[in-house]
């Protein structure tokens, strides 16, 4: 099942808000539809929203080209659209990373070209390359992650939210590792946290693993402590939305709690993320902007009210796990271990010299 596909000037997105009961797609021919899809989590997961935004920028450039205006004005409009697309979700750095990667390319190209059709071609090639690159990054992360479990079998892995194929352009980050362990016969089962309030674990992780016949047990978030206490969990593997140079990790709300629990129970806590999830400009997790979402996501589900009318609600979409609670970070360049400032510094060096 393809979650993101670019076909003849249309971005086709699997509508993840409808899963698992309905498999339906939306055809985006306007960048505003892409922005809406990102905002409403029709496409979600840090790498996937970066990929979708890349294609969204082709639509933004096409609309700018249709303006009956001089090239410079078309460009200003394109940059304005890019900014608006970038602002749809503030925590996942992959979104800003993808937009900036394309905008910087356009800025460089327009030093020598003032042909919008040519710029559209450049953007299309870059968006496709971001997508293709993500597939490869996932594969390399899966290999690196599996190396942490050499010689181990019957592994029971707990994961939170959805860091799978649905959240990326490829196999997934955390679930890419899980898939590799399944392939090598080392995986016994995945425990999937339901992930309140929007149930990405129940609706998406359980769905995609079940579809692939990978053994999965669903639990509500408040059962994780019980599962650990009962000795049911060998390791936690989660994805990330942004990682700082110190190794602080922003991920779906509830991840921090899991990390605290894992520490108490002496269970390794792993984070799987590609280089595009690292914010090399930010040191402290407390400086990561946390997306606050609408109250109705907590007070209702699928349109059914589950809390008193008008109740006050706290709804941060992400939390930050301090680096002290992270055992290792799995990247396409291998496994990073503490001291993270040093190992992430090395990753930054590799990325800047690619
Ligand atoms: O709000 P979401 O569903 O976009 O949150 C997704 C997550 O938190 C994932 O764990 C993260 O983006 C990593 S996805 C490979």
């Amino acid at each position: 099942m393809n979650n993101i596909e670019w076909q003849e000037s249309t971005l086709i997105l699997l509508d993840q808000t409808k899963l698992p009961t309905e498999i339906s797609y939306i055809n985006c021919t306007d960048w505003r539809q892409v922005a809406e899809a990102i905002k409403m989590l029709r496409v979600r997961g840090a790498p996937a929203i970066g990929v979708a935004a890349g294609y969204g920028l082709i639509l933004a450039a096409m609309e700018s080209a249709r303006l009956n205006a001089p090239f410079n004005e078309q460009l200003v409009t394109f940059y304005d659209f890019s900014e608006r697309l970038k602002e749809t979700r503030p925590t996942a750095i992959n979104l800003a990373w993808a937009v900036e990667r394309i905008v910087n390319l356009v800025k460089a190209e327009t030093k020598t070209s003032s042909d919008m059709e040519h710029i559209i071609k450049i953007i299309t090639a870059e968006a496709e390359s971001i997508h293709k690159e993500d597939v490869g990054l996932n594969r390399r992360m899966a290999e690196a992650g599996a190396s942490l479990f050499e010689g181990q079998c019957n592994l029971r892995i707990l994961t939170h939210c959805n860091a799978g194929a649905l959240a990326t352009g490829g196999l997934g980050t955390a679930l890419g590792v899980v898939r590799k362990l399944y392939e090598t016969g080392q995986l016994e089962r995945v425990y999937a946290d339901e992930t309140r309030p929007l149930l990405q674990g129940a609706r998406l992780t359980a769905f995609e693993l079940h579809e692939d016949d990978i053994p999965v047990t669903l639990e509500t978030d408040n059962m994780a402590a019980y599962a650990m206490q009962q000795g049911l969990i060998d390791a936690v593997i989660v994805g990330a939305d942004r990682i700082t140079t110190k190794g602080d990790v922003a991920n779906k709300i509830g991840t921090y709690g899991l990390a605290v629990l894992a520490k108490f129970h002496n269970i390794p806590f792993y984070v799987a993320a590609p280089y595009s999830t690292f914010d090399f400009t930010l040191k402290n997790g407390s400086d990561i902007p946390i997306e606050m979402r609408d109250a109705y996501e907590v007070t209702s589900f699928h349109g059914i009210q589950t809390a008193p009318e008008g109740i006050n609600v706290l709804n941060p979409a992400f939390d930050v796990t301090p680096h002290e609670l992270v055992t290792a970070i799995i990247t396409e360049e291998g496994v990073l271990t503490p001291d993270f400032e040093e190992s992430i510094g090395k990753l930054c060096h590799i990325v800047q010299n690619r």
Side-chain angles (χ1 to χ4, degrees):
M1 187 182 309
N2 258 349
N3 56 339
I4 305 172
E5 206 177 322
W6 177 253
Q7 249 183 46
E8 293 165 25
S9 306
T10 302
L11 177 62
I12 306 167
L13 294 173
L14 173 67
D15 187 347
Q16 297 190 31
T17 62
K18 301 275 172 29
L19 289 174
T21 49
E22 196 183 316
I23 294 176
S24 66
Y25 293 86
I26 40 174
N27 291 340
C28 306
T29 51
D30 185 317
W31 68 269
R32 291 168 195 81
Q33 287 170 289
V34 182
E36 191 269 351
I38 293 174
K39 183 94 203 143
M40 299 312 291
L41 276 56
R42 299 186 200 288
V43 57
R44 32 70 48 208
I49 58 180
V51 171
Y55 290 121
L57 289 181
I58 311 174
L59 298 171
M62 284 171 161
E63 182 175 327
S64 312
R66 286 193 297 271
L67 286 178
N68 192 11
F71 180 68
N72 269 353
E73 281 175 37
Q74 292 179 338
L75 265 189
V76 170
T77 305
F78 170 73
Y79 293 141
D80 173 49
F81 290 167
S82 312
E83 235 5 80
R84 283 156 66 186
L85 202 50
K86 194 165 94 176
E87 281 162 4
T88 47
R89 294 199 74 188
T91 304
I93 185 111
N94 304 60
L95 172 61
W97 167 84
V99 170
E100 279 160 21
R101 175 164 155 170
I102 289 177
V103 164
N104 288 339
L105 191 73
V106 170
K107 283 186 177 154
E109 199 63 25
T110 49
K111 283 189 183 137
T112 52
S113 165
S114 45
D115 173 3
M116 206 56 179
E117 287 311 313
H118 171 69
I119 300 300
I120 291 169
K121 279 197 189 118
I122 296 281
I123 297 174
T124 307
E126 196 64 6
E128 282 170 345
S129 127
I130 289 173
H131 195 172
K132 202 165 144 210
E133 181 184 298
D134 199 49
V135 177
L137 292 173
N138 283 193
R139 211 172 290 129
R140 286 164 66 191
M141 264 183 284
E143 300 280 344
S147 74
L148 283 166
F149 299 96
E150 247 167 48
Q152 298 180 48
C153 56
N154 302 326
L155 289 162
R156 291 132 336 144
I157 307 288
L158 173 61
T159 192
H160 190 68
C161 193
N162 173 264
L166 290 164
T168 64
L171 289 173
T173 55
L175 294 192
V177 179
V178 157
R179 283 193 164 87
K180 186 73 198 168
L181 294 173
Y182 180 64
E183 205 181 289
T184 55
Q186 291 167 276
L187 182 80
E188 183 176 310
R189 121 173 348 266
V190 175
Y191 283 84
D193 267 1
E194 174 188 48
T195 317
R196 279 285 292 156
L198 295 177
L199 310 197
Q200 287 93 331
R203 294 187 304 101
L204 309 176
T205 295
F207 171 75
E208 76 168 77
L209 293 179
H210 195 58
E211 284 281 296
D212 287 348
D213 289 327
I214 298 176
V216 54
T217 296
L218 178 64
E219 63 179 25
T220 60
D221 301 351
N222 51 359
M223 294 170 189
Y226 171 86
M228 289 184 185
Q229 193 181 47
Q230 295 299 308
L232 297 176
I233 310 297
D234 298 305
V236 178
I237 313 181
V238 295
D241 284 80
R242 193 186 292 227
I243 303 174
T244 68
T245 56
K246 229 164 101 174
D248 295 342
V249 175
N251 191 48
K252 178 55 55 193
I253 190 74
T255 302
Y256 169 44
L258 267 191
V260 173
L261 285 173
K263 184 87 174 174
F264 182 78
H265 291 95
N266 220 5
I267 293 169
F269 183 88
Y270 300 122
V271 176
Y275 78 98
S276 47
T277 301
F278 286 78
D279 186 342
F280 296 117
T281 68
L282 217 60
K283 187 169 176 182
N284 294 314
S286 52
D287 291 331
I288 298 176
I290 298 295
E291 176 183 358
M292 302 303 280
R293 293 188 62 89
D294 205 287
Y296 77 82
E297 292 180 348
V298 175
T299 57
S300 64
F301 192 73
H302 269 281
I304 296 168
Q305 191 175 331
T306 55
E309 191 74 48
I311 197 79
N312 195 36
V313 163
L314 178 68
N315 189 16
F318 302 96
D319 57 26
V320 175
T321 300
H323 61 278
E324 294 92 337
L325 299 178
V326 178
T327 311
I329 304 173
I330 301 159
T331 75
E332 75 280 5
E333 295 293 343
V335 175
L336 311 185
T337 48
D339 171 332
F340 286 122
E341 259 189 281
E342 198 183 310
S343 52
I344 294 174
K346 281 188 190 148
L347 174 72
C348 178
H349 184 76
I350 293 172
V351 170
Q352 282 169 353
N353 290 291
R354 264 183 197 155

